[in-house]
Amino acid sequence: TEVVDHGPLTEPAVARTLVSQVPGGSVFVVSSSMPVRDVEWYGGPGRPDVEVVSNRGANGIDGVMSTALGRALSSGRTEFVLVGDVAFVHDSNALVALTRRPLDLRVVVVDNDGGGIFSFLPQATSLAAERFELLFGTPHGTDVLGVAAAHGLPTSNATTASELVDQLDRPGPWVCRVPTDRSGNVDVHGVIHDAVIAALG
């Protein structure tokens, strides 16, 4: 916890913050790829008072926002979403007319401009950087808050844990972006894993 809970707002810290801050009785939708892994690995104690939902589409990340919207419409409860930028952009059509629906949907987008999970695989170090980015990193350069704003949704950026916690308390619908760095995220995971190994002796 010392590594995850202190310092800058990393991707593991985002997952841990949401798991601890989501109020009881709400729904928590977790995207495939790195978000669901970070929640599992670093989220801390389980939350039996929170309904956690995840799905895996044909391409892994497709349909996450639509799943969240469907759950919110059917449950009528406050709903939190943790999603990566590629999954968010891929399913951004779910935002259409969202402001016309009486939904408390709070969306946190971890934005590292690409497919962050591939930075953990061997091709990240075996391919030239430009080749890796073209085939696996797939940076898209999309302004995720601009996409949300185009649909009339309130938006914000969070770069510290306190900013994220403050945003999580606000009723939705809204979209909050947490900017991160893919290569830095690999380093952070390495530091955490080293700390766990050291703690276990």
Side-chain angles (χ1 to χ4, degrees):
T1 60
E2 283 295 314
V3 178
V4 178
D5 293 340
H6 300 282
L9 187 57
T10 62
E11 294 188 26
V14 170
R16 191 172 181 85
T17 299
L18 263 80
V19 170
S20 66
Q21 296 297 318
V22 168
S26 56
V27 179
F28 183 23
V29 177
V30 186
S31 178
S32 293
S33 199
M34 289 309 297
V36 72
R37 288 170 170 83
D38 284 340
V39 166
E40 179 184 14
W41 295 340
Y42 313 117
R47 292 288 308 276
D49 58 333
V50 173
E51 182 182 358
V52 181
V53 178
S54 188
N55 75 320
R56 183 169 179 84
N59 292 308
I61 59 168
D62 53 311
V64 175
M65 291 303 301
S66 294
T67 296
L69 179 61
R71 290 294 307 168
L73 286 169
S74 64
S75 72
R77 290 183 281 166
T78 298
E79 183 158 338
F80 295 81
V81 183
L82 177 59
V83 62
D85 54 283
V86 176
F88 177 80
V89 171
H90 189 74
D91 199 27
S92 60
N93 62 304
L95 304 177
V96 173
L98 181 55
T99 56
R100 298 181 188 175
R101 302 174 186 271
L103 299 177
D104 186 0
L105 185 64
R106 309 177 193 188
V107 182
V108 177
V109 182
V110 175
D111 185 2
N112 54 37
D113 192 26
I117 194 168
F118 297 107
S119 296
F120 290 87
L121 301 180
Q123 56 263 42
T125 54
S126 61
L127 292 174
E130 289 185 5
R131 186 74 169 163
F132 172 79
E133 285 292 278
L134 176 66
L135 297 175
F136 297 99
T138 61
H140 48 81
T142 302
D143 179 354
V144 297
L145 296 186
V147 171
H151 292 282
L153 294 170
T155 64
S156 66
N157 269 300
T159 58
T160 67
S162 61
E163 288 176 347
L164 180 57
V165 169
D166 287 345
Q167 182 62 44
L168 293 175
D169 284 339
R170 297 173 186 167
W174 49 252
V175 175
C176 176
R177 171 183 175 265
V178 179
T180 66
D181 176 78
R182 280 183 273 128
S183 61
N185 188 44
V186 174
D187 295 338
V188 166
H189 281 73
V191 170
I192 295 171
H193 294 171
D194 288 345
V196 170
I197 291 170
L200 294 175

